[in-house]
Amino acid sequence: MFSARSGMRPRSAESDRLEHKKWVEVFKACDEDSKGYLSREDFKVAVVMLFGYKPSKIEAESVMSSINQSTSGVLLGDFLHAVRRKKETQLPWSKVRRVFTALDRHYHGFLTLEDFKNAFQQVAPRLPDRVILEVFREVDRDSDGHVSFKDFEYAMNYRQSEAEVA
């Protein structure tokens, strides 16, 4: 489970238990009517809360195709299995994902200009608003007023490659 080359940290039973508890809490929070299952939209909200992005139609469909026809949704066990699989396929301990999730304090799955202002207020309180706006516009590649994880990841990787070349 732990490999020095992969950069993974060993996982304890306690961290696994806490992560499982978090997944159950998210399931319950998204199952607003206490139906015992998540609809397609409920599932998408849960993914945003856990992973910081809205799942694609294909991703949602792959999970929804395994639903119990009598419930019309994803049961807790199926949800936990899907989340566990997703976590296993993600890059371990992704620094970019952790930074993005920390900045996305409202679990929207995207960052707003306000999120950028709050972050810069913490690290560079004297930075002029116009500079923060310029940075936001540069990172918001599709100019929709939201920085998706893909936009953020691209900016972080692009800047990292620029620094390595310099």
Side-chain angles (χ1 to χ4, degrees), residues 24-146:
V24 171
E25 287 173 2
V26 167
F27 180 91
K28 289 178 179 177
C30 293
D31 180 15
E32 292 177 354
D33 300 329
S34 299
K35 305 172 297 287
Y37 63 87
L38 299 181
S39 68
R40 180 182 311 275
E41 291 308 309
D42 295 338
F43 174 74
K44 288 179 180 180
V45 171
V47 170
V48 169
M49 291 174 71
L50 290 172
F51 298 101
Y53 74 95
K54 183 178 174 185
S56 67
K57 285 182 179 182
I58 294 169
E59 185 176 357
E61 187 57 41
S62 73
V63 172
M64 297 306 290
S65 67
S66 67
I67 64 171
N68 181 336
Q69 296 303 320
S70 65
T71 61
S72 302
V74 179
L75 297 172
L76 177 60
D78 296 330
F79 173 75
L80 294 174
H81 180 71
V83 170
R84 188 170 293 107
R85 273 194 341 242
K86 178 129 194 78
K87 285 292 269 189
E88 289 169 357
T89 61
Q90 281 190 321
L91 290 176
W93 304 92
S94 167
K95 290 179 183 179
V96 175
R97 174 65 72 188
R98 285 188 297 190
V99 170
F100 180 86
T101 302
L103 295 176
D104 182 18
R105 296 179 359 187
H106 300 290
Y107 305 108
H108 293 302
F110 57 83
L111 303 176
T112 63
L113 178 57
E114 195 61 37
D115 292 325
F116 267 62
K117 286 180 180 179
N118 289 334
F120 279 106
Q121 181 62 36
Q122 296 295 317
V123 295
R126 293 194 176 128
L127 194 64
D129 281 348
R130 65 176 175 71
V131 174
I132 297 170
L133 180 60
E134 286 176 30
V135 171
F136 181 81
R137 287 180 175 161
E138 185 175 328
V139 176
D140 180 17
R141 292 177 51 216
D142 57 3
S143 302
D144 65 353
H146 299 113

